[in-house]
Amino acid sequence: MDWMDGLLFPIMAVVAWIMVQFHDLLSAAGLDPAGGAAWALSIVGLVIVIRILLIPLFFKQIKASRGMQLIQPEMQALQKKYKGRTDPASREAQSREMMELYRKHGTNPFASCLPLLLQSPIFFALFRVLYELPRLAEGTYPRADAIGPMTQELAAQAEQATIFGAPLAGTFMQANGVWQIQLVTVVLIIAMSATTFLTQRQLTMKNMPPAALEGPMAQQQKVLLYVLPLIFAFSGVNFPIGVLIYWTTTNLWSMGQQFYTIRRMPAPGSAAEAALKARKARKAASRGETPETVEGTTTAVIEERPRSGQRQQPKRKDRAKGRPQTGAGQASGTETNGSDDAGPTAGDDGTTPTGGR
């Protein structure tokens, strides 16, 4: 695997540098430099640094994954439109309309895989750093005397560091009957597989509308939801304990990051959006407000209530009689009085009415 070290050596040096910096910081804080806790937490620190750098890509991944799910109805209609048409012109037209659909909704099927692809070199670089610790500690590593700041002395220290009796570079397949290594690796493999499943389930099930959970792509997502944890479980027996710590910590970070994002910015029509509206309604009710839904959004209308201890002033009612008339009313009254003084008026037949006998 020396050819892989040749490709990954610059990344291995960066990974080793971050680990050594955190190790020095934790040692200065009082942890045993040769202890497993300092080196294990150095790997956790590596995860934190990498994931902070990937935060912008994470939001792009969430947006792309959400967009791919939301356009499934239109995608199915497009596939139905060109079903059975295998001529080159139809295929070209279908591809063109599909790309236009992606552009219209601002999504891309490859954008959701970008953070995972960028983490893969770091994952393999950490794998190689931990794998080469014994040879680096013995001074037989063929490429260099050190991997970045990871010198022979530090490599020997990291190789001998243990967690519950299991070295960080130990694997299940090379445990040689050491039950501590087997136990720690099994626990970490279960944790890695479980967090992988929960992370994917949180993203696909809770933050998608029901319509987006149907169709071929949704079925593929459901299959991957159960297949990926199994793949990691079977392949995890070959991973060093340090790599299992890295992957489990990465999954935990992803779960927390997704939980915050889904809670604050849920997909339209999803269960998470319904939960967000319910929380807003409860908060509005606790503040004495009345939640009202207007055009699909929850707003709060504040009811005006009298303050406690404030005396209510009676409203003034205008009297029907004796109310002074102004303006047009006075003019109308004057004209009426004037017409009464003018004497009797002629009837409809032109005769003058006479008093009753």
Side-chain angles (χ1 to χ4, degrees):
M1 299 293 286
D2 290 340
W3 63 270
M4 181 176 287
D5 287 2
L7 293 175
L8 296 176
F9 192 79
I11 304 176
M12 291 170 62
V14 173
V15 167
W17 183 85
I18 296 174
M19 288 179 59
V20 169
Q21 300 307 311
F22 273 100
H23 178 264
D24 293 343
L25 181 63
L26 293 168
S27 299
L31 292 181
D32 182 10
W39 285 105
L41 291 176
S42 299
I43 296 175
V44 174
L46 172 66
V47 174
I48 293 174
V49 171
I50 298 302
R51 293 312 300 262
I52 288 176
L53 294 176
L54 292 178
I55 283 178
L57 292 178
F58 169 79
F59 285 106
K60 288 185 178 181
Q61 178 192 22
I62 291 289
K63 182 180 178 181
S65 179
R66 179 185 300 176
M68 289 300 298
Q69 292 285 351
L70 293 178
I71 66 173
Q72 283 307 300
E74 297 181 59
M75 187 77 71
Q76 293 174 14
L78 186 61
Q79 293 172 351
K80 185 177 180 180
K81 175 182 177 181
Y82 289 96
K83 184 178 180 180
R85 300 166 64 177
T86 58
D87 57 286
S90 297
R91 290 182 178 180
E92 182 180 355
Q94 183 179 4
S95 300
R96 184 171 58 252
E97 292 186 30
M98 192 172 296
M99 295 304 297
E100 179 64 23
L101 185 63
Y102 292 150
R103 188 195 63 80
K104 174 184 175 182
H105 292 274
T107 187
N108 190 312
F110 302 104
S112 59
C113 303
L114 191 57
L116 181 61
L117 293 176
L118 290 179
Q119 285 187 86
S120 297
I122 301 170
F123 174 82
F124 286 111
L126 177 62
F127 180 91
R128 295 304 301 170
V129 168
L130 295 175
Y131 185 83
E132 295 294 349
L133 281 179
R135 289 204 296 177
L136 189 60
E138 295 171 358
T140 58
Y141 183 59
R143 295 198 58 83
D145 296 334
I147 302 177
M150 183 72 74
T151 61
Q152 182 177 353
E153 180 182 357
L154 286 175
Q157 192 180 81
E159 183 196 10
Q160 296 173 4
T162 60
I163 300 177
F164 302 109
L168 293 177
T171 65
F172 184 88
M173 297 300 293
Q174 298 178 356
N176 296 324
V178 180
W179 67 269
Q180 291 93 338
I181 298 178
Q182 295 174 340
L183 178 62
V184 172
T185 52
V186 167
V187 170
L188 287 174
I189 287 172
I190 293 174
M192 179 183 65
S193 302
T195 51
T196 300
F197 173 80
L198 293 175
T199 302
Q200 294 298 320
R201 187 177 186 276
Q202 182 186 49
L203 181 62
T204 57
M205 297 300 179
K206 189 176 181 180
N207 199 38
M208 291 298 167
L213 298 177
E214 301 175 356
M217 182 167 290
Q219 295 301 321
Q220 293 177 6
Q221 292 285 346
K222 291 180 181 179
V223 171
L224 290 176
L225 179 64
Y226 295 96
V227 170
L228 281 179
L230 293 177
I231 293 175
F232 286 127
F234 284 106
S235 60
V237 295
N238 296 308
F239 293 164
I241 290 176
V243 172
L244 295 175
I245 293 174
Y246 173 88
W247 202 256
T248 303
T249 307
T250 297
N251 289 342
L252 291 173
W253 178 285
S254 298
M255 287 178 61
Q257 201 171 39
Q258 284 182 177
F259 177 80
Y260 177 84
T261 304
I262 293 172
R263 185 179 176 86
R264 298 278 181 165
M265 297 176 290
S270 63
E273 186 189 39
L276 176 62
K277 291 183 177 181
R279 288 195 303 272
K280 288 184 177 181
R282 287 195 298 269
K283 289 181 180 179
S286 65
R287 292 194 299 263
E289 302 170 358
T290 303
E292 293 184 355
T293 303
V294 180
E295 296 181 357
T297 59
T298 302
T299 58
V301 179
I302 302 177
E303 295 180 349
E304 295 184 359
R305 296 183 178 180
R307 297 179 181 176
S308 58
Q310 182 177 358
R311 181 175 178 270
Q312 294 294 313
Q313 297 293 335
K315 294 183 179 180
R316 180 178 179 180
K317 297 182 179 180
D318 295 333
R319 296 181 179 179
K321 295 181 180 181
R323 183 171 54 190
Q325 295 180 345
T326 58
Q330 291 179 351
S332 175
T334 304
E335 292 175 0
T336 304
N337 294 335
S339 62
D340 291 341
D341 294 338
T345 58
D348 293 338
D349 55 357
T351 61
T352 302
T354 58
R357 293 180 181 177

PDB file of all heavy atoms in Angstrom, residues 187-215:
ATOM      1  N   VAL A 187     -18.023  -2.768  19.962  1.00  0.00           N
ATOM      2  CA  VAL A 187     -18.851  -1.671  20.482  1.00  0.00           C
ATOM      3  C   VAL A 187     -18.814  -0.477  19.533  1.00  0.00           C
ATOM      4  O   VAL A 187     -19.854   0.130  19.220  1.00  0.00           O
ATOM      5  CB  VAL A 187     -18.379  -1.268  21.892  1.00  0.00           C
ATOM      6  CG1 VAL A 187     -19.070   0.015  22.346  1.00  0.00           C
ATOM      7  CG2 VAL A 187     -18.656  -2.387  22.885  1.00  0.00           C
ATOM      8  N   LEU A 188     -17.632  -0.141  19.043  1.00  0.00           N
ATOM      9  CA  LEU A 188     -17.512   1.003  18.139  1.00  0.00           C
ATOM     10  C   LEU A 188     -18.155   0.719  16.780  1.00  0.00           C
ATOM     11  O   LEU A 188     -18.732   1.624  16.157  1.00  0.00           O
ATOM     12  CB  LEU A 188     -16.042   1.377  17.959  1.00  0.00           C
ATOM     13  CG  LEU A 188     -15.382   2.053  19.167  1.00  0.00           C
ATOM     14  CD1 LEU A 188     -13.890   2.247  18.923  1.00  0.00           C
ATOM     15  CD2 LEU A 188     -16.040   3.398  19.461  1.00  0.00           C
ATOM     16  N   ILE A 189     -18.075  -0.519  16.305  1.00  0.00           N
ATOM     17  CA  ILE A 189     -18.725  -0.863  15.032  1.00  0.00           C
ATOM     18  C   ILE A 189     -20.240  -0.737  15.162  1.00  0.00           C
ATOM     19  O   ILE A 189     -20.919  -0.211  14.265  1.00  0.00           O
ATOM     20  CB  ILE A 189     -18.321  -2.287  14.597  1.00  0.00           C
ATOM     21  CG1 ILE A 189     -16.873  -2.299  14.112  1.00  0.00           C
ATOM     22  CG2 ILE A 189     -19.239  -2.791  13.493  1.00  0.00           C
ATOM     23  CD1 ILE A 189     -16.326  -3.690  13.852  1.00  0.00           C
ATOM     24  N   ILE A 190     -20.783  -1.203  16.278  1.00  0.00           N
ATOM     25  CA  ILE A 190     -22.226  -1.063  16.507  1.00  0.00           C
ATOM     26  C   ILE A 190     -22.609   0.414  16.583  1.00  0.00           C
ATOM     27  O   ILE A 190     -23.614   0.846  15.996  1.00  0.00           O
ATOM     28  CB  ILE A 190     -22.637  -1.805  17.793  1.00  0.00           C
ATOM     29  CG1 ILE A 190     -22.458  -3.322  17.610  1.00  0.00           C
ATOM     30  CG2 ILE A 190     -24.078  -1.481  18.165  1.00  0.00           C
ATOM     31  CD1 ILE A 190     -22.703  -4.121  18.869  1.00  0.00           C
ATOM     32  N   ALA A 191     -21.806   1.200  17.297  1.00  0.00           N
ATOM     33  CA  ALA A 191     -22.092   2.633  17.409  1.00  0.00           C
ATOM     34  C   ALA A 191     -21.998   3.317  16.051  1.00  0.00           C
ATOM     35  O   ALA A 191     -22.840   4.165  15.704  1.00  0.00           O
ATOM     36  CB  ALA A 191     -21.124   3.281  18.393  1.00  0.00           C
ATOM     37  N   MET A 192     -20.994   2.953  15.257  1.00  0.00           N
ATOM     38  CA  MET A 192     -20.832   3.555  13.934  1.00  0.00           C
ATOM     39  C   MET A 192     -22.008   3.200  13.023  1.00  0.00           C
ATOM     40  O   MET A 192     -22.563   4.069  12.330  1.00  0.00           O
ATOM     41  CB  MET A 192     -19.519   3.079  13.306  1.00  0.00           C
ATOM     42  CG  MET A 192     -19.255   3.611  11.912  1.00  0.00           C
ATOM     43  SD  MET A 192     -17.745   2.950  11.163  1.00  0.00           S
ATOM     44  CE  MET A 192     -18.171   1.212  11.005  1.00  0.00           C
ATOM     45  N   SER A 193     -22.422   1.941  13.026  1.00  0.00           N
ATOM     46  CA  SER A 193     -23.532   1.512  12.168  1.00  0.00           C
ATOM     47  C   SER A 193     -24.847   2.140  12.614  1.00  0.00           C
ATOM     48  O   SER A 193     -25.654   2.587  11.783  1.00  0.00           O
ATOM     49  CB  SER A 193     -23.640  -0.014  12.188  1.00  0.00           C
ATOM     50  OG  SER A 193     -22.435  -0.621  11.760  1.00  0.00           O
ATOM     51  N   ALA A 194     -25.076   2.186  13.929  1.00  0.00           N
ATOM     52  CA  ALA A 194     -26.326   2.757  14.441  1.00  0.00           C
ATOM     53  C   ALA A 194     -26.421   4.247  14.139  1.00  0.00           C
ATOM     54  O   ALA A 194     -27.480   4.742  13.718  1.00  0.00           O
ATOM     55  CB  ALA A 194     -26.430   2.515  15.944  1.00  0.00           C
ATOM     56  N   THR A 195     -25.332   4.980  14.335  1.00  0.00           N
ATOM     57  CA  THR A 195     -25.368   6.421  14.060  1.00  0.00           C
ATOM     58  C   THR A 195     -25.490   6.698  12.562  1.00  0.00           C
ATOM     59  O   THR A 195     -26.108   7.688  12.160  1.00  0.00           O
ATOM     60  CB  THR A 195     -24.112   7.103  14.616  1.00  0.00           C
ATOM     61  OG1 THR A 195     -22.931   6.400  14.168  1.00  0.00           O
ATOM     62  CG2 THR A 195     -24.129   7.118  16.136  1.00  0.00           C
ATOM     63  N   THR A 196     -24.925   5.828  11.733  1.00  0.00           N
ATOM     64  CA  THR A 196     -25.106   5.975  10.287  1.00  0.00           C
ATOM     65  C   THR A 196     -26.572   5.816   9.910  1.00  0.00           C
ATOM     66  O   THR A 196     -27.128   6.607   9.132  1.00  0.00           O
ATOM     67  CB  THR A 196     -24.260   4.939   9.530  1.00  0.00           C
ATOM     68  OG1 THR A 196     -22.874   5.127   9.842  1.00  0.00           O
ATOM     69  CG2 THR A 196     -24.453   5.070   8.024  1.00  0.00           C
ATOM     70  N   PHE A 197     -27.227   4.805  10.470  1.00  0.00           N
ATOM     71  CA  PHE A 197     -28.646   4.570  10.196  1.00  0.00           C
ATOM     72  C   PHE A 197     -29.498   5.740  10.679  1.00  0.00           C
ATOM     73  O   PHE A 197     -30.366   6.243   9.947  1.00  0.00           O
ATOM     74  CB  PHE A 197     -29.086   3.276  10.878  1.00  0.00           C
ATOM     75  CG  PHE A 197     -30.566   3.026  10.806  1.00  0.00           C
ATOM     76  CD1 PHE A 197     -31.145   2.511   9.661  1.00  0.00           C
ATOM     77  CD2 PHE A 197     -31.380   3.313  11.892  1.00  0.00           C
ATOM     78  CE1 PHE A 197     -32.511   2.289   9.589  1.00  0.00           C
ATOM     79  CE2 PHE A 197     -32.747   3.092  11.837  1.00  0.00           C
ATOM     80  CZ  PHE A 197     -33.314   2.578  10.682  1.00  0.00           C
ATOM     81  N   LEU A 198     -29.263   6.195  11.903  1.00  0.00           N
ATOM     82  CA  LEU A 198     -30.079   7.273  12.460  1.00  0.00           C
ATOM     83  C   LEU A 198     -29.872   8.583  11.708  1.00  0.00           C
ATOM     84  O   LEU A 198     -30.820   9.360  11.528  1.00  0.00           O
ATOM     85  CB  LEU A 198     -29.748   7.454  13.944  1.00  0.00           C
ATOM     86  CG  LEU A 198     -30.142   6.292  14.862  1.00  0.00           C
ATOM     87  CD1 LEU A 198     -29.643   6.539  16.279  1.00  0.00           C
ATOM     88  CD2 LEU A 198     -31.649   6.083  14.857  1.00  0.00           C
ATOM     89  N   THR A 199     -28.642   8.826  11.264  1.00  0.00           N
ATOM     90  CA  THR A 199     -28.371  10.054  10.513  1.00  0.00           C
ATOM     91  C   THR A 199     -29.128  10.065   9.193  1.00  0.00           C
ATOM     92  O   THR A 199     -29.763  11.066   8.826  1.00  0.00           O
ATOM     93  CB  THR A 199     -26.863  10.191  10.256  1.00  0.00           C
ATOM     94  OG1 THR A 199     -26.165  10.205  11.505  1.00  0.00           O
ATOM     95  CG2 THR A 199     -26.557  11.482   9.516  1.00  0.00           C
ATOM     96  N   GLN A 200     -29.087   8.948   8.464  1.00  0.00           N
ATOM     97  CA  GLN A 200     -29.791   8.875   7.187  1.00  0.00           C
ATOM     98  C   GLN A 200     -31.303   8.900   7.379  1.00  0.00           C
ATOM     99  O   GLN A 200     -32.025   9.532   6.604  1.00  0.00           O
ATOM    100  CB  GLN A 200     -29.378   7.597   6.446  1.00  0.00           C
ATOM    101  CG  GLN A 200     -27.926   7.577   6.015  1.00  0.00           C
ATOM    102  CD  GLN A 200     -27.603   8.693   5.043  1.00  0.00           C
ATOM    103  OE1 GLN A 200     -28.385   9.006   4.153  1.00  0.00           O
ATOM    104  NE2 GLN A 200     -26.447   9.313   5.213  1.00  0.00           N
ATOM    105  N   ARG A 201     -31.781   8.234   8.404  1.00  0.00           N
ATOM    106  CA  ARG A 201     -33.224   8.209   8.655  1.00  0.00           C
ATOM    107  C   ARG A 201     -33.741   9.591   9.035  1.00  0.00           C
ATOM    108  O   ARG A 201     -34.829  10.002   8.624  1.00  0.00           O
ATOM    109  CB  ARG A 201     -33.541   7.211   9.770  1.00  0.00           C
ATOM    110  CG  ARG A 201     -35.031   6.986   9.987  1.00  0.00           C
ATOM    111  CD  ARG A 201     -35.273   5.934  11.061  1.00  0.00           C
ATOM    112  NE  ARG A 201     -36.685   5.631  11.167  1.00  0.00           N
ATOM    113  CZ  ARG A 201     -37.557   6.336  11.885  1.00  0.00           C
ATOM    114  NH1 ARG A 201     -37.130   7.391  12.565  1.00  0.00           N
ATOM    115  NH2 ARG A 201     -38.832   6.005  11.926  1.00  0.00           N
ATOM    116  N   GLN A 202     -32.965  10.299   9.826  1.00  0.00           N
ATOM    117  CA  GLN A 202     -33.349  11.652  10.222  1.00  0.00           C
ATOM    118  C   GLN A 202     -33.487  12.560   9.009  1.00  0.00           C
ATOM    119  O   GLN A 202     -34.403  13.386   8.935  1.00  0.00           O
ATOM    120  CB  GLN A 202     -32.293  12.210  11.183  1.00  0.00           C
ATOM    121  CG  GLN A 202     -32.583  13.599  11.722  1.00  0.00           C
ATOM    122  CD  GLN A 202     -31.424  14.124  12.552  1.00  0.00           C
ATOM    123  OE1 GLN A 202     -30.272  14.078  12.137  1.00  0.00           O
ATOM    124  NE2 GLN A 202     -31.719  14.605  13.740  1.00  0.00           N
ATOM    125  N   LEU A 203     -32.616  12.386   8.039  1.00  0.00           N
ATOM    126  CA  LEU A 203     -32.614  13.255   6.864  1.00  0.00           C
ATOM    127  C   LEU A 203     -33.723  12.898   5.884  1.00  0.00           C
ATOM    128  O   LEU A 203     -34.376  13.782   5.321  1.00  0.00           O
ATOM    129  CB  LEU A 203     -31.252  13.175   6.170  1.00  0.00           C
ATOM    130  CG  LEU A 203     -31.052  14.048   4.930  1.00  0.00           C
ATOM    131  CD1 LEU A 203     -31.179  15.516   5.293  1.00  0.00           C
ATOM    132  CD2 LEU A 203     -29.708  13.770   4.290  1.00  0.00           C
ATOM    133  N   THR A 204     -33.960  11.605   5.672  1.00  0.00           N
ATOM    134  CA  THR A 204     -34.881  11.192   4.619  1.00  0.00           C
ATOM    135  C   THR A 204     -36.324  11.068   5.085  1.00  0.00           C
ATOM    136  O   THR A 204     -37.250  11.328   4.313  1.00  0.00           O
ATOM    137  CB  THR A 204     -34.435   9.845   4.025  1.00  0.00           C
ATOM    138  OG1 THR A 204     -34.358   8.870   5.079  1.00  0.00           O
ATOM    139  CG2 THR A 204     -33.076   9.974   3.365  1.00  0.00           C
ATOM    140  N   MET A 205     -36.540  10.677   6.320  1.00  0.00           N
ATOM    141  CA  MET A 205     -37.896  10.401   6.782  1.00  0.00           C
ATOM    142  C   MET A 205     -38.560  11.600   7.451  1.00  0.00           C
ATOM    143  O   MET A 205     -39.734  11.875   7.231  1.00  0.00           O
ATOM    144  CB  MET A 205     -37.888   9.214   7.759  1.00  0.00           C
ATOM    145  CG  MET A 205     -37.429   7.924   7.129  1.00  0.00           C
ATOM    146  SD  MET A 205     -38.501   7.429   5.748  1.00  0.00           S
ATOM    147  CE  MET A 205     -37.703   5.922   5.220  1.00  0.00           C
ATOM    148  N   LYS A 206     -37.813  12.311   8.260  1.00  0.00           N
ATOM    149  CA  LYS A 206     -38.418  13.379   9.049  1.00  0.00           C
ATOM    150  C   LYS A 206     -38.527  14.684   8.287  1.00  0.00           C
ATOM    151  O   LYS A 206     -39.403  15.501   8.563  1.00  0.00           O
ATOM    152  CB  LYS A 206     -37.603  13.595  10.329  1.00  0.00           C
ATOM    153  CG  LYS A 206     -38.263  14.537  11.324  1.00  0.00           C
ATOM    154  CD  LYS A 206     -37.463  14.624  12.601  1.00  0.00           C
ATOM    155  CE  LYS A 206     -38.143  15.558  13.601  1.00  0.00           C
ATOM    156  NZ  LYS A 206     -37.382  15.676  14.860  1.00  0.00           N
ATOM    157  N   ASN A 207     -37.645  14.899   7.317  1.00  0.00           N
ATOM    158  CA  ASN A 207     -37.575  16.204   6.666  1.00  0.00           C
ATOM    159  C   ASN A 207     -38.038  16.159   5.221  1.00  0.00           C
ATOM    160  O   ASN A 207     -37.608  16.967   4.410  1.00  0.00           O
ATOM    161  CB  ASN A 207     -36.137  16.735   6.728  1.00  0.00           C
ATOM    162  CG  ASN A 207     -36.073  18.226   6.499  1.00  0.00           C
ATOM    163  OD1 ASN A 207     -36.933  18.970   6.953  1.00  0.00           O
ATOM    164  ND2 ASN A 207     -35.060  18.683   5.789  1.00  0.00           N
ATOM    165  N   MET A 208     -38.908  15.210   4.883  1.00  0.00           N
ATOM    166  CA  MET A 208     -39.414  15.116   3.527  1.00  0.00           C
ATOM    167  C   MET A 208     -40.937  15.020   3.547  1.00  0.00           C
ATOM    168  O   MET A 208     -41.503  14.340   4.406  1.00  0.00           O
ATOM    169  CB  MET A 208     -38.838  13.883   2.814  1.00  0.00           C
ATOM    170  CG  MET A 208     -37.355  13.993   2.533  1.00  0.00           C
ATOM    171  SD  MET A 208     -36.982  15.361   1.426  1.00  0.00           S
ATOM    172  CE  MET A 208     -35.205  15.460   1.606  1.00  0.00           C
ATOM    173  N   PRO A 209     -41.615  15.687   2.616  1.00  0.00           N
ATOM    174  CA  PRO A 209     -43.071  15.553   2.529  1.00  0.00           C
ATOM    175  C   PRO A 209     -43.449  14.157   2.064  1.00  0.00           C
ATOM    176  O   PRO A 209     -42.638  13.456   1.450  1.00  0.00           O
ATOM    177  CB  PRO A 209     -43.461  16.620   1.498  1.00  0.00           C
ATOM    178  CG  PRO A 209     -42.233  16.838   0.695  1.00  0.00           C
ATOM    179  CD  PRO A 209     -41.077  16.623   1.617  1.00  0.00           C
ATOM    180  N   PRO A 210     -44.678  13.723   2.333  1.00  0.00           N
ATOM    181  CA  PRO A 210     -45.084  12.363   1.941  1.00  0.00           C
ATOM    182  C   PRO A 210     -44.940  12.088   0.450  1.00  0.00           C
ATOM    183  O   PRO A 210     -44.579  10.983   0.051  1.00  0.00           O
ATOM    184  CB  PRO A 210     -46.554  12.308   2.383  1.00  0.00           C
ATOM    185  CG  PRO A 210     -46.660  13.307   3.484  1.00  0.00           C
ATOM    186  CD  PRO A 210     -45.715  14.414   3.118  1.00  0.00           C
ATOM    187  N   ALA A 211     -45.200  13.096  -0.390  1.00  0.00           N
ATOM    188  CA  ALA A 211     -45.103  12.878  -1.837  1.00  0.00           C
ATOM    189  C   ALA A 211     -43.673  12.584  -2.274  1.00  0.00           C
ATOM    190  O   ALA A 211     -43.447  11.877  -3.257  1.00  0.00           O
ATOM    191  CB  ALA A 211     -45.624  14.103  -2.583  1.00  0.00           C
ATOM    192  N   ALA A 212     -42.698  13.131  -1.539  1.00  0.00           N
ATOM    193  CA  ALA A 212     -41.298  12.918  -1.905  1.00  0.00           C
ATOM    194  C   ALA A 212     -40.781  11.561  -1.459  1.00  0.00           C
ATOM    195  O   ALA A 212     -39.682  11.165  -1.834  1.00  0.00           O
ATOM    196  CB  ALA A 212     -40.425  14.014  -1.303  1.00  0.00           C
ATOM    197  N   LEU A 213     -41.548  10.851  -0.644  1.00  0.00           N
ATOM    198  CA  LEU A 213     -41.133   9.538  -0.167  1.00  0.00           C
ATOM    199  C   LEU A 213     -41.653   8.418  -1.052  1.00  0.00           C
ATOM    200  O   LEU A 213     -41.629   7.254  -0.662  1.00  0.00           O
ATOM    201  CB  LEU A 213     -41.620   9.331   1.277  1.00  0.00           C
ATOM    202  CG  LEU A 213     -41.050  10.311   2.304  1.00  0.00           C
ATOM    203  CD1 LEU A 213     -41.658  10.069   3.664  1.00  0.00           C
ATOM    204  CD2 LEU A 213     -39.532  10.206   2.366  1.00  0.00           C
ATOM    205  N   GLU A 214     -42.129   8.773  -2.234  1.00  0.00           N
ATOM    206  CA  GLU A 214     -42.612   7.787  -3.185  1.00  0.00           C
ATOM    207  C   GLU A 214     -41.810   7.900  -4.473  1.00  0.00           C
ATOM    208  O   GLU A 214     -41.252   8.947  -4.782  1.00  0.00           O
ATOM    209  CB  GLU A 214     -44.106   8.007  -3.477  1.00  0.00           C
ATOM    210  CG  GLU A 214     -44.991   7.912  -2.233  1.00  0.00           C
ATOM    211  CD  GLU A 214     -46.434   8.242  -2.539  1.00  0.00           C
ATOM    212  OE1 GLU A 214     -46.708   8.613  -3.706  1.00  0.00           O
ATOM    213  OE2 GLU A 214     -47.273   8.143  -1.632  1.00  0.00           O
ATOM    214  N   GLY A 215     -41.757   6.821  -5.210  1.00  0.00           N
ATOM    215  CA  GLY A 215     -41.034   6.829  -6.470  1.00  0.00           C
ATOM    216  C   GLY A 215     -39.755   6.019  -6.396  1.00  0.00           C
ATOM    217  O   GLY A 215     -39.323   5.577  -5.325  1.00  0.00           O
TER     218      GLY A 215
END
